[in-house]
Amino acid sequence: MPEFTLWDIVRNLLLAARWTVALSFIAFLGGTVFGLLLLLMRLSGRRVLERLVGIYVQLFQGTPLLMQLFLLYFGLAVMGVNTSAWLAACVALTLYASAYLTEIWRGAVAAIPRGQWEASASLALSFGQQFRHIILPQALRIAVAPTVGFLVQVVKGTALASVIGFVELTKAGGMIANVTYEPMLTYACVAAMYFVLCFPISLYARALERKLA
Amino acid sequence: MPLQLDFMSILVQWPLLLRGAAWTIALTAIATLLGGMLGIVCAWARAGGPRALRWLVGGYVEIIRNTPFIVQLFFIFFGLPELGIRLSPMTASILAMTVNLGAYATEILRAGIEATPRGQIEAAESLALTKAQVFTRVVLPPALKKVWPALVSQIVIVMLGSAVCGQISTEELSYATNLIQSRNFRAFETYIVGTLSYLGLAILVRNLLYWAGPRFLFGR
């Protein structure tokens, strides 16, 4: 039977951690783009669109991410898409992130006094111009700390992709634990790596919060 | 081939779903009680305990908040037996949820406790209340009232997170969903029903706690 050193465990976990980082980036970027789209829909003033986005947010915030992953994993297959764990995880985490981000940003926009919209409207700016030049710069200041804070949720959320078989940090940890018969050490290493990824982001979010408050 | 969905084959399995939902609620209820108490003790220690204890609690909170719940659960269920602590899936789930909620509750409650005006504590002390009495009678109720919405959100998040517990074969709602789809091979429809059940539970728990908080915990 081969002997495994601590370095063997850590090295293989580090290799897998690349996928956790990649998945986090894709989900956060995708969520940002899609979330911004949803935000514009919600601010458009059309009742139907506002309602739809509201339901979308409720749906994603009121159900477990794990079930969303399963649903997409099997749903994409039913719809005839040749699906993989990687694709399903990317899509599910993007949708999940977009729902939370759009809600955070809606709060930030709502915090801008009504008069700002009215003043810019009275200067004959279009909706797009009002949003882009007047509202966005102010809302961004409010939104940045919670947005960075949410990134931690995304990184932690990627751990669930292990359940549908995507080999990232958590899944690799499970496989290594099975081979080495050292689950405690392995999962402690896994947890430590998530901590190293997440804690600086948490600290940064907190610092931003303090600076902008 | 047009998309054909068949929900009947899931709905005939309603006893399984119901049992799963009941376990999810039970797990959440126990974790809420234990985690809430843990949070109160830790928040108290962090606000006014000795320095070493404050550091310890701070470390606990940061570790839990910056690692995924699924890793915490696996550490408890797969890791602890190495130390001779062998837990059933149900116990491991409850422990993981309690430890997880406890950390978040500590942070949430601390914010409420720190918002207590200094004068109220001094007034209570001048009435010769003991330190414990000041905390439980004067500081805690208004703090709970202030942070109740945040606490309720966190409890709902923990309940939704408990879907992961099915992975260590705790027989809760996601486990039941998995079991049903392995019997009828209608994965997509089954997960739709399972997911919507969680949505229903989330709305139920949220409303229940909003109703119960002012009545039983801190008064209106």
Side-chain angles (χ1 to χ4, degrees):
Chain A
M1 196 178 122
E3 281 293 314
F4 295 95
T5 61
L6 180 63
W7 171 239
D8 285 323
I9 294 175
V10 170
R11 192 183 42 152
N12 284 298
L13 285 179
L14 278 174
L15 288 173
R18 292 177 307 174
W19 290 103
T20 291
V21 173
L23 192 55
S24 304
F25 260 107
I26 289 173
F28 194 67
L29 284 182
T32 300
V33 173
F34 200 52
L36 212 55
L37 218 72
L38 289 171
L39 180 67
L40 290 175
M41 278 167 72
R42 204 163 193 181
L43 296 177
S44 66
R46 297 245 182 101
R47 260 290 159 67
V48 187
L49 286 183
E50 280 171 33
R51 261 285 172 72
L52 278 177
V53 177
I55 292 172
Y56 177 88
V57 171
Q58 268 279 307
L59 216 55
F60 278 92
Q61 294 197 340
T63 59
L65 177 57
L66 183 73
M67 299 300 269
Q68 296 164 22
L69 273 164
F70 276 130
L71 206 52
L72 262 146
Y73 188 56
F74 292 109
L76 288 175
V78 169
M79 286 166 203
V81 180
N82 192 2
T83 183
S84 64
W86 167 240
L87 182 69
C90 282
V91 174
L93 280 159
T94 296
L95 296 180
Y96 167 82
S98 72
Y100 276 84
L101 287 173
T102 200
E103 190 65 9
I104 291 173
W105 296 338
R106 192 190 61 89
V109 169
I112 306 297
R114 191 93 226 116
Q116 297 282 330
W117 286 99
E118 285 161 4
S120 48
S122 74
L123 292 172
L125 297 184
S126 69
F127 171 76
Q129 287 171 325
Q130 290 175 33
F131 184 70
R132 156 103 184 64
H133 295 295
I134 310 296
I135 305 301
L136 194 64
Q138 302 181 66
L140 220 52
R141 268 175 62 90
I142 306 173
V144 68
T147 303
V148 172
F150 180 68
L151 182 54
V152 175
Q153 302 297 323
V154 174
V155 175
K156 290 194 293 179
T158 61
L160 293 180
S162 65
V163 175
I164 55 171
F166 180 63
V167 184
E168 38 64 74
L169 192 43
T170 304
K171 178 79 181 170
M175 291 154 79
I176 293 170
N178 283 343
V179 178
T180 58
Y181 296 110
E182 290 198 87
M184 191 146 112
L185 178 66
T186 312
Y187 282 118
C189 289
V190 171
M193 280 182 201
Y194 277 109
F195 188 79
V196 167
L197 280 175
C198 292
F199 191 52
I201 306 175
S202 294
L203 286 181
Y204 183 53
R206 218 171 300 163
L208 280 172
E209 211 172 303
R210 222 169 287 145
K211 208 174 79 184
L212 297 174
Chain B
M1 190 189 84
L3 193 58
Q4 282 188 331
L5 297 181
D6 166 25
F7 285 100
M8 267 333 277
S9 56
I10 295 112
L11 297 178
V12 295
Q13 305 267 20
W14 65 269
L16 266 177
L17 272 177
L18 200 65
R19 241 178 68 103
W23 268 118
T24 292
I25 291 281
L27 285 173
T28 309
I30 298 170
T32 299
L33 279 179
L34 298 178
M37 284 194 281
L38 183 63
I40 289 172
V41 172
C42 288
W44 175 77
R46 214 173 174 193
R51 172 161 301 178
L53 197 59
R54 258 185 292 186
W55 270 88
L56 208 65
V57 172
Y60 155 64
V61 169
E62 292 303 341
I63 287 173
I64 296 298
R65 295 211 313 168
N66 288 292
T67 54
F69 175 68
I70 188 172
V71 175
Q72 294 158 16
L73 182 72
F74 283 179
F75 182 84
I76 287 172
F77 187 67
F78 296 117
L80 288 190
E82 263 187 75
L83 298 179
I85 306 170
R86 208 167 285 280
L87 300 171
S88 72
M90 209 56 96
T91 324
S93 300
I94 290 171
L95 182 60
M97 287 169 75
T98 301
V99 168
N100 189 277
L101 181 61
Y104 285 93
T106 301
E107 270 309 275
I108 293 171
L109 285 167
R110 191 176 63 123
I113 288 171
E114 279 173 358
T116 313
R118 185 84 212 129
Q120 290 202 358
I121 299 170
E122 285 163 4
E125 278 168 349
S126 75
L127 292 172
L129 297 187
T130 64
K131 237 182 151 182
Q133 279 175 325
V134 172
F135 184 73
T136 54
R137 305 279 170 87
V138 178
V139 176
L140 198 53
L144 267 175
K145 187 176 180 175
K146 234 170 269 159
V147 300
W148 192 241
L151 207 54
V152 170
S153 295
Q154 195 57 47
I155 291 169
V156 170
I157 288 174
V158 168
M159 185 186 81
L160 297 177
S162 77
V164 172
C165 297
Q167 295 303 310
I168 58 168
S169 69
T170 307
E171 296 177 10
E172 41 70 79
L173 186 50
S174 78
Y175 183 87
T177 312
N178 245 321
L179 193 64
I180 294 172
Q181 74 74 33
S182 70
R183 286 184 183 175
N184 63 12
F185 300 106
R186 291 227 157 245
F188 188 46
E189 294 96 319
T190 311
Y191 280 112
I192 288 177
V193 173
T195 308
L196 291 181
S197 308
Y198 270 106
L199 185 62
L201 287 186
I203 293 168
L204 183 79
V205 166
R206 176 180 302 267
N207 286 325
L208 192 69
L209 288 173
Y210 274 142
W211 175 84
R215 272 174 192 74
F216 303 116
L217 280 176
F218 40 79
R220 262 170 287 191

